[in-house]
Amino acid sequence: MKARIVSALIGGVLFPSLCVARQSVAYASDNAPYRAGLLSWEAPAYPLLAKLHHCQGRGVFRVTINAASSRPAQVVILKSTGFGILDDSALAALRAWRWKPGTRGPFDIPIAFTLSPDPNSGKPPVGSSRLPKSPR
């Protein structure tokens, strides 16, 4: 196991093209109720360890919003990505999202972590589109 981790780290340093991975992507149906009130967002970071071990998965996370502060009051996992490290990354990113004051929830947000040599190869699920990149 140690040899595999060491070789993956060396391979990532010497041959970074082998570790190219697309960032995680948040998908939402085109008429998702939270999209209109969303002010700032960002896709979760794809942890290096998860990339090295080729961890991929799709999860669904429920965000309950504090209407007064426009910040998430609670973020819970409805469907795990299958990897704790990916779930933790998604939870951290969703806690940083901000909505217009007065926005009410909860909202269920799907997050997909996929590895691909081509960053444009992923297609959104039928009837949905990618959330735009955060303006920050």
Side-chain angles (χ1 to χ4, degrees), residues 82-133:
F83 298 94
I85 192 169
L86 298 180
D87 291 341
D88 291 343
S89 180
L91 291 170
L94 290 170
R95 287 184 185 117
W97 286 23
R98 299 295 176 259
W99 282 263
K100 292 179 184 174
T103 301
R104 303 238 180 244
F107 300 118
D108 295 346
I109 302 173
I111 303 284
F113 289 87
T114 57
L115 295 169
S116 173
D118 178 6
N120 298 313
S121 66
K123 294 181 182 177
V126 175
S128 66
S129 60
R130 286 185 182 179
L131 284 175
K133 289 187 178 182

Side-chain angles (χ1 to χ4, degrees), residues 4 6 9 23 25 29 32-33 36 42 44 53 58 64-65 68 77 80 88 91-92 112 114-116 120 122 129:
R4 181 177 175 180
V6 171
L9 290 173
Q23 286 294 329
V25 179
S29 65
E42 58 189 54
H53 288 281
R58 294 175 180 266
T64 304
I65 301 168
I77 301 168
S80 172
D88 291 343
L91 291 170
T114 57
L115 295 169
S116 173
N120 298 313
S129 60

Side-chain angles (χ1 to χ4, degrees), residues 1-12 49 52-53:
M1 183 65 171
K2 286 183 182 180
R4 181 177 175 180
I5 292 172
V6 171
S7 65
L9 290 173
I10 292 171
L49 192 58
L52 292 175
H53 288 281

